Amino acid sequence: TWSGVLATLLVVRFWTLLGDVFGTVGEAKRLYGPIVSGSVLGAIFGSSNARLMTTTHDARHLLLAAAGIFVLTALGPVLMLPASEPAAPAKLPEATATPRALDLKRRVSTIWSRPFLRRIGMIVVLSTVTLTLVDFLFKSSVARSVQPAQYGAFFSGAYLLLNILSSFAQLFLVGRVMQTSRIHRVHAVLPVLILGGTLGFVLGGGLIAAVVLKGFDGVLRHSLHRTATELLFVPVSSDLRNRLRGVFDALGQRGGQVLASLCILVAGVIGPAEIILGIVVLVLGAGWLRVAWTLEKAYLGVFRAALGDVASNTRFDFPELDLASLETLLTSLNSNNDDEVIASLDVLAAQERTHLIPGLILYHPSPRVVIKALELFTAAGRQDILGIMDRLVEHSDAEVRAATLRSYAWVAGPNVELYQRALTDSSPIVRATCLIGLVSYSPPDKAVNARIALDRLATSGTPQEKLAVARAIRYSPGAGYERILMQLAESSDDRVRLAVARAMREVRNPRFIPKLLEMLPSRSLRPEVRATFVALGDQALSKLEEVLADPWFDPSIRRHVPRTIMLFEPERAASILVAQLDRERDGAVRYRILRALGKLRQASPELPLDDAIIRRSLEQTLRNVFQLMDWKLQLVEAALEHHERSTPVQALIVSLLEHKEVLAMERVFRLVGLLCPGEDVRTLYRGWRDASPTARDSSRELLQHLLEPPLRDPLQALVDDVDDAGKLARAGPYHQRIQQDYETLMSALLQQGGVGMRCLVAYHIGEMRMRALRGALEALPSDLAGLVARSVERAKQMLAEPDDERVADGT
């Protein structure tokens, strides 16, 4: 009783303290093993003394020796006590104190209500009962096969051997297993071995089977199993851990021992005890294994919850509008703020409530509001606004008059007479709109003059006139306008080209594809251009696929092609993007392919992707990360060895390598997300980049459970808090470090880097007077802007200077 109470108090306090000191699972995995080895070494010391004492004393004297060691051990903490005790905190008033029984009930209820804590409790109880019964089976077999006079020598020798083996397991096995294996597999090791050993015992293995069974228990219970169990408490919040840790130990372990004792008593009554208890161990071991195998989901859920505080991916959708909301929106239509009115119109249109917008809004004093309302009414086919539109033809604002003429044919049908009358309007925008109406709806013989005038506007008109022509074509699309739209697409005014892209979407001619590709690099035009590509269908997708596969195509266009392809039918788009991922060499294009695939995967988690290609890309990206890290480390080491190499340019090269490493790590996370569609890898990446140790640790722990070897261990090394040398040592098959001389290192950077890297390295070669690399500089291909060529020429000038001469201009 005394040893049980003492151990419960000490163990609970000890592990609670460790959980507070080591707040992250990464620290716990690295340090719990060495710390727990202290208890194993203590057990070796104790069993060694017991083995020696049993040769000269009775076994009963071992109790006295153990008590003496406890007393000596207690002297250490006594000597460490402070000179004066801190003042005790004030006790709660009697009326507010929580009864112990009620407090215990609440704690047990808290454990049961949380899936992760509930599984910890089940593992503690099941493992305690099972291992207590295993210990009884072992001792009962010994009692049956060994003479009583030999008990002391037998048990002390057996425990000495088991403790030695346990220490080896703790020192050389546990740390490696904890850091490289998934949590449910770690917890499944001991129950699997117990089940196998018990099965042999039940089938008649006798003392040998009992010793083997106890061997599994003795070697792994206080090493792997204890460390893995205590590790489960680390991600639990400090408050919960402090409140519940005692419950787990008192009810879980001590309660489990009580249950095991009851099983032994019952089995002894109904007999034969060993066979019955063996069957009970098999049943309990199977339950223990099942709980352990289902542990991972709940365990990772704790880390996902922690990351949820770092990055939120909440999506906001429009709710259904109730009566009060509709009243508020309709009231906002009377606002003096034009932006507020337009926003209300947009919300009503998004909710398909355009029919509720009063037609009288066309009398609004703001031309912006009137034009917006006209667009919505035209799209909805509202006929009740015809009378107001007749008045708007005479509106004081030219843009409103032009918008009315554009909408008229859609709402009321073509009116050639109206276009003829408005052709004399003072505004060129209105006249351009009328010309489109006449060309679209007049008989061919009467539309000749209008077409000639329209061609003149498209080639030599003002930007406002060209804009009016493009907008009018959008509302009166026809096959005869392809040439005019191609001419308008040559405009340097983005407003004109935007209207052209929208008009092309209505006309839908494959001849527009080259012009649309030219517009793609423009940020302001890109959304409309992409929508037009999608409207053009298969022919546009085939051309985009061709452009993406052509490495010599204009890179400013290619970089925006993946996101454009993403908008087409998901399966075909994904197939094109994944196939290009395997052969793409432009880092910027490859990054955009990954972003596009990530969005497709996020929208459709079941979308089929070629995992083999994605895995190859992930492996290559890992090689790139380790290579960048290796180069960076070698540059730093070279600067420390020879201080003259530590120049500002060399520091820039190191910074650029660090930047490339960060970008490569983002690609790693994106590729992992493609292989694991059920995981929010964006949140993992943000957690890894976060300054909070808890967030970083949560990301690392989740990432460890997403992949299998050989990918898992090197990836785990990259996200662990170790230095670059430690990460490179764990690169596995993805990198083998070879120390290079400085010139060889510069040559490698010169050949493998992008434009910025090649420019910096070329300059550094010149300032370091590395004349052996002149040939490599001369053979270096330049870029379209000629930046590399200029850097090479400057480097060659420096190589021609004497070694003791320094560049004076600092270029």
Side-chain angles (χ1 to χ4, degrees):
T1 303
W2 167 244
S3 62
V5 172
L6 179 63
T8 299
L9 294 173
L10 291 179
V11 168
V12 169
R13 182 59 188 146
F14 175 74
W15 285 108
T16 302
L17 177 63
L18 282 188
D20 292 336
V21 173
F22 304 114
T24 66
V25 174
E27 289 179 333
K29 284 183 176 181
R30 290 193 298 271
L31 299 175
Y32 270 19
I35 290 173
V36 173
S37 65
S39 65
V40 180
L41 294 175
I44 293 175
F45 175 76
S47 56
S48 300
N49 286 333
R51 184 73 181 88
L52 294 174
M53 287 184 65
T54 53
T55 61
T56 57
H57 297 81
D58 293 337
R60 61 191 180 89
H61 294 113
L62 297 177
L63 293 175
L64 183 60
I69 293 175
F70 264 122
V71 172
L72 292 175
T73 306
L75 294 178
V78 169
L79 294 175
M80 295 179 184
L81 288 175
S84 58
E85 291 288 339
K91 292 185 177 180
L92 291 173
E94 195 65 30
T96 62
T98 303
R100 300 287 296 177
L102 181 59
D103 184 56
L104 178 61
K105 182 179 178 180
R106 288 177 179 174
R107 295 184 186 188
V108 173
S109 176
T110 300
I111 293 173
W112 190 255
S113 64
R114 298 171 184 251
F116 180 54
L117 296 178
R118 185 167 66 245
R119 282 172 171 79
I120 296 177
M122 294 171 69
I123 287 177
V124 171
V125 172
L126 288 171
S127 63
T128 301
V129 176
T130 303
L131 296 177
T132 302
L133 295 180
V134 165
D135 188 62
F136 177 81
L137 292 176
F138 167 67
K139 291 174 180 175
S140 64
S141 297
V142 172
R144 190 176 60 252
S145 305
V146 178
Q147 294 297 322
Q150 302 299 319
Y151 285 170
F154 181 88
F155 282 118
S156 59
Y159 286 130
L160 174 60
L161 177 62
L162 291 178
N163 287 325
I164 291 174
L165 294 176
S166 181
S167 68
F168 276 100
Q170 186 68 45
L171 294 173
F172 303 109
L173 174 67
V174 172
R176 176 65 178 172
V177 171
M178 294 302 303
Q179 294 192 48
T180 59
S181 298
R182 298 166 73 161
I183 193 69
H184 66 292
R185 294 176 181 172
V186 175
H187 277 271
V189 172
L190 186 53
V192 166
L193 294 176
I194 292 296
L195 285 172
T198 305
L199 186 61
F201 179 83
V202 171
L203 295 177
L207 180 61
I208 295 177
V211 171
V212 171
L213 184 59
K214 181 59 181 178
F216 294 148
D217 172 23
V219 172
L220 296 179
R221 185 202 296 202
H222 298 292
S223 56
L224 182 63
H225 174 67
R226 183 73 187 193
T227 306
T229 302
E230 295 300 336
L231 189 67
L232 295 178
F233 290 97
V234 177
V236 178
S237 67
S238 178
D239 177 62
L240 276 178
R241 186 168 58 242
N242 292 333
R243 287 195 298 117
L244 303 178
R245 190 64 182 80
V247 178
F248 281 106
D249 202 82
L251 294 186
Q253 292 194 1
R254 306 308 166 194
Q257 291 172 345
V258 171
L259 292 177
S261 301
L262 292 175
C263 290
I264 293 171
L265 291 174
V266 172
V269 172
I270 64 177
E274 292 184 355
I275 300 300
I276 294 175
L277 292 177
I279 295 173
V280 172
V281 169
L282 288 175
V283 174
L284 292 174
W288 177 9
L289 179 61
R290 186 179 184 279
V291 175
W293 205 253
T294 62
L295 178 66
E296 183 178 48
K297 183 177 180 181
Y299 176 72
L300 297 181
V302 177
F303 296 101
R304 292 190 180 100
L307 285 176
D309 298 333
V310 178
S312 175
N313 293 310
T314 307
R315 295 181 178 181
F316 296 95
D317 297 322
F318 278 120
E320 289 294 325
L321 295 177
D322 55 21
L323 182 60
S325 301
L326 285 172
E327 290 177 350
T328 302
L329 283 173
L330 293 175
T331 302
S332 298
L333 297 179
N334 298 320
S335 172
N336 293 326
N337 186 329
D338 292 353
D339 292 330
E340 184 178 343
V341 177
I342 291 175
S344 299
L345 292 173
D346 285 333
V347 172
L348 288 168
Q351 292 285 304
E352 299 182 355
R353 302 293 181 92
T354 308
H355 62 281
L356 297 178
I357 302 174
L360 293 177
I361 198 173
L362 294 178
Y363 286 111
H364 196 282
S366 169
R368 288 176 57 210
V369 173
V370 174
I371 293 172
K372 180 66 177 180
L374 269 175
E375 291 177 355
L376 297 179
F377 290 157
T378 302
R382 291 269 296 265
Q383 299 289 319
D384 57 316
I385 61 170
L386 284 174
I388 303 176
M389 288 183 69
D390 290 335
R391 295 174 177 269
L392 291 179
V393 173
E394 306 297 332
H395 198 278
S396 59
D397 186 86
E399 290 285 355
V400 173
R401 297 199 301 272
T404 304
L405 291 171
R406 289 196 300 268
S407 301
Y408 212 95
W410 285 62
V411 177
N415 189 332
V416 176
E417 293 182 1
L418 177 63
Y419 297 137
Q420 289 284 5
R421 290 199 310 270
L423 198 58
T424 60
D425 194 283
S426 60
S427 169
I429 300 174
V430 176
R431 294 198 299 271
T433 304
C434 292
L435 289 175
I436 291 293
L438 292 172
V439 171
S440 299
Y441 304 115
S442 297
D445 56 332
K446 295 183 178 180
V448 175
N449 292 333
R451 183 172 291 279
I452 293 173
L454 196 60
D455 288 340
R456 186 169 58 251
L457 288 180
T459 54
S460 58
T462 65
Q464 290 77 13
E465 290 172 332
K466 292 180 179 180
L467 179 62
V469 170
R471 287 177 175 173
I473 292 175
R474 178 190 177 193
Y475 285 94
S476 302
Y481 295 124
E482 290 104 347
R483 182 174 52 81
I484 293 176
L485 288 175
M486 297 287 278
Q487 291 174 338
L488 293 174
E490 301 292 337
S491 173
S492 58
D493 191 315
D494 275 356
R495 293 182 305 158
V496 175
R497 295 202 295 163
L498 182 63
V500 168
R502 290 170 174 167
M504 286 178 171
R505 185 160 67 248
E506 301 300 331
V507 177
R508 300 189 184 183
N509 192 308
R511 291 176 56 197
F512 298 149
I513 293 176
K515 292 297 181 183
L516 290 169
L517 284 171
E518 293 176 5
M519 299 181 196
L520 198 55
S522 173
R523 180 185 295 272
S524 60
L525 304 180
R526 203 174 298 141
E528 295 295 337
V529 170
R530 283 173 170 161
T532 304
F533 270 121
V534 174
L536 291 174
D538 288 344
Q539 288 179 297
L541 180 58
S542 298
K543 181 61 179 179
L544 290 168
E545 182 180 4
E546 177 186 330
V547 170
L548 186 62
D550 183 2
W552 304 108
F553 204 86
D554 186 350
S556 66
I557 295 176
R558 284 189 75 236
R559 290 170 185 170
H560 303 291
V561 169
R563 291 288 299 276
T564 308
I565 291 176
M566 178 194 75
L567 300 175
F568 287 82
E569 193 275 324
E571 286 197 20
R572 187 175 175 194
S575 175
I576 293 171
L577 294 172
V578 170
Q580 184 62 27
L581 183 65
D582 206 26
R583 55 177 178 264
E584 184 57 54
R585 294 295 173 263
D586 187 319
V589 176
R590 189 166 58 249
Y591 173 73
R592 283 167 170 79
I593 290 175
L594 289 177
R595 289 186 62 187
L597 286 172
K599 289 184 177 294
L600 285 172
R601 184 66 113 176
Q602 183 181 11
S604 305
E606 303 302 323
L607 184 68
L609 299 178
D610 191 333
D611 285 350
I613 293 178
I614 296 174
R615 188 174 296 274
R616 284 200 301 269
S617 183
L618 177 56
E619 290 177 343
Q620 183 57 49
T621 306
L622 285 175
R623 293 187 185 96
N624 292 340
V625 174
F626 284 117
Q627 184 63 77
L628 292 167
M629 192 178 296
D630 192 0
W631 283 337
K632 180 183 65 175
L633 192 59
Q634 290 192 50
L635 284 172
V636 172
E637 291 172 350
L640 292 175
E641 293 175 2
H642 301 277
H643 295 294
E644 66 274 8
R645 294 171 179 169
S646 181
T647 67
V649 174
Q650 203 245 28
L652 283 174
I653 296 173
V654 172
S655 298
L656 185 55
L657 288 172
E658 289 177 347
H659 177 66
K660 287 178 174 290
E661 184 183 325
V662 171
L663 295 180
M665 281 301 298
E666 182 181 348
R667 292 197 292 272
V668 166
F669 274 87
R670 290 184 180 277
L671 286 162
V672 171
L674 295 179
L675 288 175
C676 308
E679 195 66 47
D680 186 1
V681 180
R682 291 183 303 172
T683 302
L684 293 186
Y685 178 73
R686 292 169 186 162
W688 173 66
R689 297 279 290 164
D690 195 86
S692 165
T694 302
R696 292 200 308 272
D697 191 65
S698 298
S699 289
R700 287 195 295 268
E701 192 65 18
L702 284 167
L703 200 60
Q704 179 182 352
H705 289 73
L706 293 181
L707 297 175
E708 298 291 339
L711 286 170
R712 185 178 61 206
D713 296 343
L715 182 56
Q716 186 71 19
L718 287 176
V719 299
D720 276 348
D721 283 335
V722 295
D723 59 16
D724 289 346
K727 293 177 180 179
L728 289 170
R730 295 165 56 188
Y734 301 111
H735 187 72
Q736 183 177 4
R737 193 177 190 206
I738 301 175
Q739 197 69 30
Q740 301 170 312
D741 62 73
Y742 202 61
E743 289 186 351
T744 304
L745 176 60
M746 288 297 109
S747 180
L749 290 173
L750 199 62
Q751 299 300 325
Q752 301 296 326
V755 172
M757 180 64 72
R758 282 182 284 165
C759 290
L760 290 174
V761 173
Y763 188 93
H764 189 56
I765 289 172
E767 70 176 353
M768 290 291 102
R769 307 298 193 267
M770 299 180 189
R771 296 185 176 86
L773 297 180
R774 176 185 289 274
L777 287 174
E778 293 174 345
L780 195 65
S782 187
D783 59 297
L784 294 176
L787 298 175
V788 175
R790 290 200 293 272
S791 296
V792 168
E793 287 302 315
R794 182 66 182 126
K796 288 164 65 177
Q797 292 176 13
M798 288 189 285
L799 290 176
E801 297 170 355
D803 289 344
D804 58 348
E805 186 173 334
R806 290 290 178 261
V807 181
D809 59 6
T811 305

